[in-house]
Structure formats: structure tokens, C-alpha cells
Amino acid sequence: MFQRQSNKLNQRTVSRWETGATEPGIDMIKLIARELDVPITELLDMPEHYCQSCGMMFTAPDQHGHNADGSEAEDFCRWCYEDGAYTYETTMDEMIEDCAPRMAEAMGWTVDESASLLGAVLPTLRRWKDGE
């Protein structure tokens, strides 16, 4: 009986998400992504291009970094990558701590929600996957 009621509740909740009546929190999105085996960035409707170091979404052309030859670095922002190298050494935890407050302010989330999201997204980005 409880399982049947739980399924009805879940169906109603998902239906409310689909109609835009409510949105799941970051932790719920992470759980859904893991259960459905889809990238969290897909569920968040993130744009195709965002910094492969900090996860920042590109919103203006002057936000890209530059390669050693001066060409624009398509995959990295200017705060993380310039002249063909990362602008500073950091750990993933330090990156999350540094970026979470700015993301929270920009997105209207709490710092904890932003840190939780970054904790799920950063390991999928090139800088952290490649171990650079």
C-alpha cells in the first residue's frame, strides 16, 4: 500500500515539474541524473558550451580564454585559462568553494545548492577528468 501511495506521489511530483508548477532542487536533480544515468548538465538545460574548468556558462564573447598562439580557447573562460595554460593551480574542492557563492548569486540559489551542483558537474569537465 505504501509503495502504491509513494508511486502516486512521485507521479504527481514529476507532473508538477513537467508543467512548470515547481522545480526539483539540486540534490533531487543529482539523484534523478544518477538513477536515469544521464549527465546532470542535460537535466539542467545547460548550454552546450561552458568552461571546462569551472563550469561557468558563457554569456558573452569576451569571456573565453586564449591559447598560447593568441587564438580563442573555445572550452575555457578567461578567468581559468589564458596564454595556453590554467591561470592558477587549484583543487576541485577549492574551485567549488570559490565559485559556489558567485553561482548562487547569479542563479538565485543557496551557496549549498550551488556547491552541490558544482560537486556533481566539475568531475565531468575536461580539466578534472584529464587530471590536468
Side-chain angles (χ1 to χ4, degrees), residues 17-79:
W17 294 339
E18 291 173 338
T19 62
T22 188
E23 289 190 23
I26 297 301
D27 289 334
M28 181 58 72
I29 292 171
K30 285 171 48 178
L31 177 65
I32 293 168
R34 187 177 65 232
E35 289 298 313
L36 297 177
D37 194 29
V38 297
I40 191 168
T41 53
E42 218 173 277
L43 295 179
L44 291 171
D45 292 328
M46 288 179 73
E48 279 188 48
H49 291 92
Y50 44 91
C51 180
Q52 289 293 306
S53 173
C54 68
M56 182 192 88
M57 296 173 227
F58 295 113
T59 57
D62 65 339
Q63 293 177 334
H64 291 270
H66 294 89
N67 296 309
D69 65 4
S71 63
E72 189 175 86
E74 189 176 307
D75 292 334
F76 296 100
C77 74
R78 65 185 169 128
W79 297 277

Side-chain angles (χ1 to χ4, degrees), residues 62-126:
D62 65 339
Q63 293 177 334
H64 291 270
H66 294 89
N67 296 309
D69 65 4
S71 63
E72 189 175 86
E74 189 176 307
D75 292 334
F76 296 100
C77 74
R78 65 185 169 128
W79 297 277
C80 291
Y81 192 82
E82 198 60 52
D83 295 323
Y86 294 113
T87 58
Y88 57 97
E89 290 300 316
T90 188
T91 66
M92 192 180 312
D93 287 340
E94 290 168 340
M95 180 72 77
I96 292 168
E97 188 176 319
D98 184 43
C99 294
R102 287 193 301 270
M103 177 182 273
E105 185 176 328
M107 302 299 290
W109 297 336
T110 67
V111 172
D112 286 344
E113 287 174 320
S114 297
S116 181
L117 172 64
L118 288 168
V121 171
L122 263 55
T124 70
L125 302 180
R126 200 164 91 202

